Each structure stands twice: as structure tokens, then as C-alpha cells.
Amino acid sequence: METIAIKHTPVLHEVEIKLVASKSESNRALIINALSGNKSVLTNLSQARDTQTMLRLLSSEEETLDVLDAGTTMRFLTAYAALGTKNRILTGTHRMQERPIKILTKALKQLGAKVKHLKEDGFPPHQVIPIKNQKTEEVSIKGDVSSQYISALLMIAPSLPNGLVLKLKGKIGSRPYIQMTLDMMKLFGIKSTWTNNTIEIKPQPYQEYPYVVESDWSGASYWFSFVALAKEAKIKLLGLRQKSLQGDIAIVRIMNQLGVMSTFEEDGVVLQKIPHQKEVEFDFSDCPDLAQTVAVICGVKHIDCKMTGLESLRIKETDRIKALKKELKKINVKLKETEEGVWEIKSKYEPGQPEVSIKTYEDHRMAMAFAPLCTHQPVIIEDPSVVNKSYPSFWDDVAKATS
């Protein structure tokens, strides 16, 4: 098995990192542009495998579209196929076929598409037969399972003959990602209203708009972690905006409590060390992709941390809660559910330990969340190529700061 070894590096080089572009923005821009007849020029698209897969499949004439392990691509293309001119089969890796999609396919069926699950009910692979006559414009969907189901429906809404009234049931998770979708649609000319738990979009055409994709705040979070954990560090991340559409800009607020100050400049943000709090409490409902990073930081720095809003982590690339518990245990850190939906980090971590090998479970975020551990001890990351999913140049950037 391929591995990467990172030597113990307590002091980081002062470097500038040109971050990868946001795959969240890129994938939305690609779907919106396809729905508008590819009228717009999109620049700085992500090189991440998920986005490159989306690009390839949007231009494919094949009946079967294999999204590999790209969850966003699976969800967005499933909705997009419902407005197509031909039947499509969507499939993916073994893990992708274990990730539920019934909430989305049920909504598409209510709108008038026909969807057949070809193996297990509610899971890929599935065949989508496009909508001929829209059956209803009102659909209800759970708000706390995956914002990608919601975003997928919202992006096709203006192109539906009768538009869409989307009612979100219960607690709404990852709200900033839904807002990002609506904000990007607005740039391409789409009007929407979001009142309480109801989003309404009338039928209307997408307009041409030259869109420049911002750097990825999710990818930035690992550099915040490096700075938080290192003895000395000053890192500048290029291409990030203080007024970002991305929900994971929440890392700025979170890391201010965990020992990192952010100073915005014209071309990016400078990260520097500051004192950290001893006890923290975070709700990750709006930014679940940051949870693994924060768990590692708190474990290593002996910060008592209470975490909520982790529900969606179980249906990601892996069961991230289960994976986190196993790998944190290797460094004497416990992730424990103290009451339903409430998780706490308890640490007996001791720095200067011998080399530790971290399993990544086919999950890019496991690899990148544990890489900053090298500031306290040598680390081996198993299957390091998983980062290609979102941040292909990650290990090159790590080498700049640690070599």
C-alpha cells in the first residue's frame, strides 16, 4: 500500500500557499452553466477529481455516468439528468453505492421524473428518466440530511416548467451551502425567496455571467491546523476573500478560539499564532467538513471540546465519526458521545511519540486533518492519493512548509 511519511516538524517555514479552487463553487457553476446552455466563461475551476469528473460527465454522451467517489457530482447530476433529453444511469464506487440518495430521487419522482434503483432501493446505481410533464411544483424534503440534495433541486428549479416551492422539514443542516447555491444562482440572474423553511423559485432563464471561482476554504482549514499546532508558524493563503460565499469561512471564527489569528490582505489571508482557549464548544451543523480538523487540534492541544451537528458525518466518504474515533485512539485521544448528538474530546496526548500510522478510509479529509500532527511527532499517512478528490497539490504544499 502506498504511504507518505512526514517527519517531525515543530517549526514551519514561512510560506505562501496558492490554494486550490473551491470544488463546491466549481461544481455549482458547472451545473448552472450547463443549464444555461454553457453561455458563460468560468475561470479558476478546481483541479480536484470531483470537479474534473463533473466536467467530463457533463459533456458525455454515454448512457451510464460513473461519478467514481464524488458525492456532490452524484447528487447534482442526478437532478440535472431529470431535465435531460435522454435516459441516464448514474453509478459510482462501492462506497458511493452505499451512500443513500432516496431523499433526492423521491423528490424528483414527485416532480415527474421516473427513477429506478437498479440494485438496492434508495441507493445508486439508478436510472433517471427525464421529466416530461411536471406533476407538482411543491416538494418537501428533510433539511438535516444533506444540503446537496437541496442544492441539486434548487439549481434545476428555474428550468422546471412551473418552478419550485421547496419546503425544508425540521432542522436545516449546512445552511451556508444552501445559501451559497442561491447566491451563485442570483449572480446568473435567478431570483428566489427564502422565508422560514420555504424556498420559492419561479421559472426563469439563467443569464450569462463571467464567474471566477474562489480558493477553497475547506482546503484552507488544514493550514489553520498546521499553524495552531506548530511551535512557530506564519502562513499566507492566497486567493481567499473576506466576503466569501463558502460556509467553511467559519474556520476563521473557530480558529480564533483555537490559537490562530487571521489577517485579510488584498490577495489572501495571513495566519499567525495567538493564545488558545482551554474549553470550547462548536456546532458543526453548518460546516461539517471542519469537524475532523478541529477534533485533531483539540486532541493534540488538550482543549476540552464539545461538538454537536455531526449527524451528516456518517454518510460521507466514510463514516467519519467511526473513523475519527479509531485514529484518535492511536494518539491517546477519545471522541465520546456523552449524550445523544453531543460529542466530547478528552485527551491524554503526549507529544514526541514515535511514528504513528494514520488510516484514511478512502476519505480525503481524514488524510488532511491528521497531516498537521507532524508538528508534534512523525506521521505516516496511508493511501495519501485520497487528497486528489479535493486538493491534489496538498502534499506538495505540505513539503514547502515542512521540508
Side-chain angles (χ1 to χ4, degrees), residues 54-82:
M54 177 77 88
L55 257 174
R56 177 173 54 80
L57 295 181
L58 278 170
S59 61
S60 173
E61 294 297 320
E62 300 288 325
E63 181 187 10
T64 298
L65 304 178
D66 185 350
V67 307
L68 308 174
D69 61 350
T72 314
T73 306
M74 171 63 83
R75 282 122 184 204
F76 290 1
L77 281 180
T78 294
Y80 178 75

Side-chain angles (χ1 to χ4, degrees), residues 253 257 277 279-284 304-308 342:
R253 169 182 52 81
Q257 298 175 64
Q277 295 182 15
E279 292 181 18
V280 292
E281 191 171 329
F282 300 120
D283 180 357
F284 290 97
D304 286 340
C305 179
K306 190 179 281 188
M307 310 166 87
T308 55
V342 180

Side-chain angles (χ1 to χ4, degrees), residues 88-273:
R88 298 282 202 175
I89 292 170
L90 288 104
T91 190
T93 60
H94 176 71
R95 173 59 183 162
M96 182 56 62
Q97 293 181 31
E98 295 175 337
R99 296 177 72 179
I101 199 165
K102 191 168 190 173
I103 289 174
L104 176 58
T105 56
K106 182 183 175 185
L108 293 171
K109 285 198 265 192
Q110 289 172 342
L111 290 169
K114 291 178 181 172
V115 183
K116 297 176 185 173
H117 291 277
L118 303 178
K119 284 187 181 176
E120 190 176 343
D121 185 43
F123 296 84
H126 49 275
Q127 181 187 48
V128 180
I129 299 168
I131 297 167
K132 286 185 180 165
N133 299 300
Q134 189 175 349
K135 289 181 181 176
T136 180
E137 64 269 11
E138 191 170 303
V139 170
S140 293
I141 187 170
K142 284 185 74 174
D144 66 346
V145 178
S146 173
S147 65
Q148 291 173 10
Y149 301 148
I150 297 163
S151 289
L153 292 167
L154 292 176
M155 286 188 288
I156 67 166
S159 305
L160 290 167
N162 305 325
L164 180 66
V165 177
L166 190 61
K167 293 186 177 293
L168 307 179
K169 295 187 292 186
K171 180 184 172 186
I172 300 171
S174 300
R175 184 183 285 265
Y177 282 93
I178 302 169
Q179 191 61 57
M180 179 206 291
T181 303
L182 293 173
D183 288 345
M184 286 185 66
M185 290 168 66
K186 185 178 180 182
L187 292 172
F188 289 85
I190 300 302
K191 293 176 182 171
S192 62
T193 59
W194 187 350
T195 309
N196 298 323
N197 277 29
T198 302
I199 304 173
E200 184 171 359
I201 299 173
K202 298 195 180 302
Q204 54 198 295
Y206 279 108
Q207 305 297 324
E208 183 181 343
Y209 182 79
Y211 192 79
V212 181
V213 178
E214 185 189 8
S215 289
D216 182 34
W217 273 104
S218 306
S221 68
Y222 309 110
W223 294 104
F224 279 83
S225 180
F226 268 108
V227 173
L229 295 179
K231 193 180 283 185
E232 292 176 34
K234 183 180 179 184
I235 289 176
K236 183 169 183 178
L237 303 176
L238 302 174
L240 294 170
R241 304 172 192 146
Q242 192 164 10
K243 291 184 178 175
S244 176
L245 299 180
Q246 298 171 54
D248 281 355
I249 193 174
I251 194 67
V252 172
R253 169 182 52 81
I254 290 168
M255 292 305 300
N256 197 51
Q257 298 175 64
L258 299 182
V260 182
M261 179 177 71
S262 309
T263 306
F264 282 90
E265 297 182 349
E266 198 174 318
D267 56 346
V269 61
V270 177
L271 312 183
Q272 289 174 280
K273 292 182 72 64

